[in-house]
Amino acid sequence: MSDRAALLKGIRAWLVFFVVCLVLSGVTAFPLVHELRWTEDLLRSLPVQEHLPGLMDWIARVRDGLETADAEHPFLLYGTDWLAFAHLVIAVAFYGPYRDPVRNIWVVEFGMIACAGIVPLALVCGPIRGIPFWWSVIDMAFGVFGVIPLYVVRRRIKRLEALLPPSAGTTAPAAGKEAEGGAIATVDRPVGP
C-alpha cells in the first residue's frame, strides 16, 4: 500500500469514527425524556446516590423539567429536535473530506472551530441557564475530545497534500473510481474561481 493510500485510509477511518460519534450525539437528543427516565432508574439501581448525591439531584431536576415541558409545553422540546437535526446535517458535511480530503480540509477546520466554540458557549450560557459548573465541564469535554480526531485528520490531510504532485489538487478518485491496484488517482484542480 502506498503512503498516499495508507494516509487516505487512516483519514477515512478517523472521519468515520467522528461522524458516528456526531450522529450518536444527535440521535440521542430526540428521546430526551425517555433517556432521562432510563438514566435516573439506572443510577438509582447503583450506589450513585450515596457517592454522588449532587449528580442524582441534578438528573432528577432535569428529568422533572423535561417531563413538565413534555406534558405542558411540548413545543419547547422542538428546540432539541433541531439540535439533533443540526448534528446530523453537520455529520453529512464530513462526506466532503471523506471523498476528497485535500479539497475539503475546510470542513475539518470548521469542525475544529465548532469544537473550540463549545467552551465559551458552556462558560457563558451555563451560568445564565443555571447549569452547575461541573456539568458545563462535561459539556466542554465534548469540544475537547471532539477536536482530537479532527486534529489527527487535519495533520494527515496536510501530509497527504505534501505527497501530491504540485499540479494535483485533489485526491478524488478519477471518474469516481479507484485507480488500479487501489491507488488513488489525482485530478487537477480547475484554475480560477
Side-chain angles (χ1 to χ4, degrees):
M1 181 181 298
S2 72
D3 288 345
R4 289 190 308 197
L7 278 171
L8 184 62
K9 185 176 180 179
I11 288 166
R12 287 179 171 169
W14 277 104
L15 284 171
V16 166
F17 170 74
F18 183 78
V19 166
V20 166
C21 292
L22 197 56
V23 167
L24 288 174
S25 182
V27 168
T28 57
F30 284 115
L32 286 178
V33 176
H34 299 294
E35 286 174 343
L36 258 295
R37 286 181 192 141
W38 298 332
T39 301
E40 187 177 19
D41 290 344
L42 174 67
L43 293 176
R44 288 198 188 286
S45 71
L46 302 170
V48 174
Q49 181 68 39
E50 300 167 23
H51 303 292
L52 299 168
L55 173 64
M56 286 307 300
D57 292 344
W58 177 248
I59 295 292
R61 181 176 178 209
V62 172
R63 184 211 21 91
D64 183 52
L66 282 171
E67 284 180 343
T68 300
D70 189 39
E72 298 175 20
H73 310 287
F75 55 87
L76 291 175
L77 297 179
Y78 189 53
T80 60
D81 295 339
W82 279 106
L83 170 71
F85 178 71
H87 278 75
L88 301 177
V89 169
I90 293 168
V92 169
F94 282 90
Y95 177 69
Y98 181 90
R99 185 170 175 270
D100 185 347
V102 173
R103 180 174 287 172
N104 293 301
I105 192 171
W106 69 271
V107 176
V108 174
E109 293 168 341
F110 165 79
M112 293 172 76
I113 293 167
C115 286
I118 291 172
V119 175
L121 178 80
L123 289 173
V124 171
C125 294
I128 292 171
R129 302 290 183 204
I131 306 297
F133 180 73
W134 57 267
W135 193 265
S136 293
V137 170
I138 293 171
D139 289 339
M140 289 183 279
F142 281 94
V144 172
F145 290 119
V147 81
I148 292 170
L150 295 178
Y151 177 74
V152 170
V153 167
R154 186 179 185 283
R155 285 190 53 200
R156 289 181 181 210
I157 291 172
K158 288 297 189 180
R159 285 177 39 209
L160 179 64
E161 184 178 38
L163 292 174
L164 296 176
S167 65
T170 181
T171 54
K177 297 181 182 176
E178 294 285 333
E180 286 190 41
I184 301 160
T186 57
V187 180
D188 289 338
R189 219 182 254 171
V191 178

